[in-house]
Amino acid sequence: QAQAQEEEEAAAEAKMNAASNEAKAKKKAFLEVDKVLGQKRKAREEAEREEAEAKKKWDEAKKKRVKAAEEEKAAEEEKGQAGHETVDASKRFEAASSAYSELLLRL
């Protein structure tokens, strides 16, 4: 009976060692998967940061483009106004010159 008890203890110990080895293997596999997950998470977060930076640059470029377009339009309007003023000034000069010439002819 002692031998049967020893065999039973040995079988129980072997079963316990097998379960311990299995638990260690599963823990090792879990840690490896956790490490990969951490790497993937880090890569995703980096991509999100890059995306945010790119969006910020895009928004800044868009604001600059809109501002430049507004400034261009204002400059075109100013040029048009200056053109009208130049024509008006030329007409006034022509009229003054004509009046001056007539005055000289009468003298």
Side-chain angles (χ1 to χ4, degrees):
Q1 189 175 6
Q3 184 180 358
Q5 189 174 355
E6 285 179 18
E7 288 174 4
E8 188 178 331
E9 286 177 13
E13 186 177 346
K15 191 173 183 181
M16 182 183 71
N17 287 337
S20 175
N21 290 340
E22 182 183 2
K24 287 177 186 175
K26 291 197 183 278
K27 181 179 179 181
K28 183 179 178 184
F30 171 83
L31 292 175
E32 288 176 15
V33 169
D34 188 53
K35 180 180 175 183
V36 170
L37 173 62
Q39 293 169 343
K40 301 295 183 187
R41 181 175 289 128
K42 185 176 177 181
R44 178 187 50 79
E45 289 170 352
E46 179 64 22
E48 287 173 350
R49 270 193 298 282
E50 290 175 4
E51 181 182 25
E53 289 173 12
K55 185 181 184 322
K56 183 178 176 182
K57 286 181 182 179
W58 172 262
D59 290 344
E60 289 171 1
K62 184 177 179 183
K63 285 178 187 176
K64 286 180 183 178
R65 180 183 55 78
V66 168
K67 183 179 178 183
E70 290 171 352
E71 290 174 353
E72 180 184 18
K73 183 178 178 183
E76 286 176 356
E77 290 172 0
E78 189 176 332
K79 178 184 174 186
Q81 182 64 32
H84 290 305
E85 290 173 4
T86 301
V87 169
D88 292 345
S90 291
K91 288 179 181 177
R92 285 193 301 275
F93 172 76
E94 294 269 338
S97 178
S98 178
Y100 180 71
S101 294
E102 287 180 21
L103 178 66
L104 287 179
L105 288 175
R106 282 189 274 150
L107 293 177

